[in-house]
Amino acid sequence: MSSNERVWPTPAAHDELRLLTEFLTFLRLTAVSKVEGLSWEDASATPIPTSPVVSALGVLRHLTAVERWWLSIEAGGVDLPSLWGEDADASWRLHEGDTVESVIAEYRAEWARSAAALEGLGPDDKTRGDHDGKGRTVRWVLAHLVQETGRHVGHLDFLRELADGEKGE
């Protein structure tokens, strides 16, 4: 799905997981649209002096780690390596060889893993990973992902505007 194919979730939604997933998809595509078309220099720039690891690509890399942890590892119980790294900033850092296209592709690939991990789960099901013993539901995890992705899309709004002046929806 292309980021220019963003559509609002159906207003008459009755299926809770579908609605949460559709909002998450909308936000994912919005995040990608904020980075598409940027040069490497603009996409990797860290223009906020107090946040030296926050770049547009860093946001996507962090969102990839967030998806991996919460949807695949925690909710789905899939045995995958965490992408958090050794410190709080690790999931935001870019790696040698990264390109705008490769970071976007990694984020998109994580969406497919997430969908597979959630296959067959309902909103009231407990997460299969439950690494901290809190007994979260799939509903909680998806709501958390929607709010976290939305928050970071807000960061991308400002990073894109600082990069090239483009303002989006």
Side-chain angles (χ1 to χ4, degrees):
M1 175 178 279
S2 168
S3 60
N4 61 5
E5 295 175 14
R6 292 181 318 142
V7 294
W8 280 98
T10 180
H14 296 286
D15 179 332
E16 181 180 6
L17 284 188
R18 179 177 172 194
L19 178 63
L20 286 168
T21 303
E22 286 179 0
F23 266 109
L24 183 57
T25 298
F26 181 84
L27 289 167
R28 288 166 168 163
L29 291 170
T30 303
V32 168
S33 75
K34 298 295 178 179
V35 179
E36 286 177 325
L38 287 175
S39 67
W40 169 256
E41 292 74 24
D42 286 339
S44 63
T46 56
I48 305 166
T50 56
S51 297
V53 296
V54 177
S55 67
L57 287 175
V59 171
L60 289 189
R61 182 164 301 289
H62 176 70
L63 285 173
T64 303
V66 168
E67 288 239 358
R68 164 87 49 102
W69 176 259
W70 284 109
L71 294 181
S72 292
I73 297 172
E74 186 65 17
V78 179
D79 185 20
L80 289 169
S82 169
L83 301 175
W84 291 123
E86 63 285 344
D87 63 58
D89 291 339
S91 68
W92 296 80
R93 288 193 185 100
L94 301 177
H95 306 127
E96 187 174 328
D98 280 344
T99 65
V100 173
E101 295 77 16
S102 72
V103 173
I104 290 171
E106 288 170 14
Y107 184 39
R108 287 177 174 276
E110 205 60 46
W111 305 349
R113 281 187 204 90
S114 298
L118 293 175
E119 189 72 33
L121 293 175
D124 293 325
D125 290 339
K126 298 291 187 196
T127 62
R128 294 175 176 162
D130 198 22
H131 290 87
D132 62 5
K134 293 193 176 180
R136 291 179 181 91
T137 62
V138 171
R139 172 188 296 107
W140 188 96
V141 169
L142 277 169
H144 173 65
L145 253 292
V146 167
Q147 72 79 28
E148 177 136 355
T149 304
R151 186 165 50 93
H152 291 309
V153 166
H155 297 137
L156 287 168
D157 283 336
F158 285 118
L159 290 166
R160 181 66 187 239
E161 190 172 343
L162 287 168
D164 66 3
E166 184 176 312
K167 297 179 184 177
E169 313 175 13

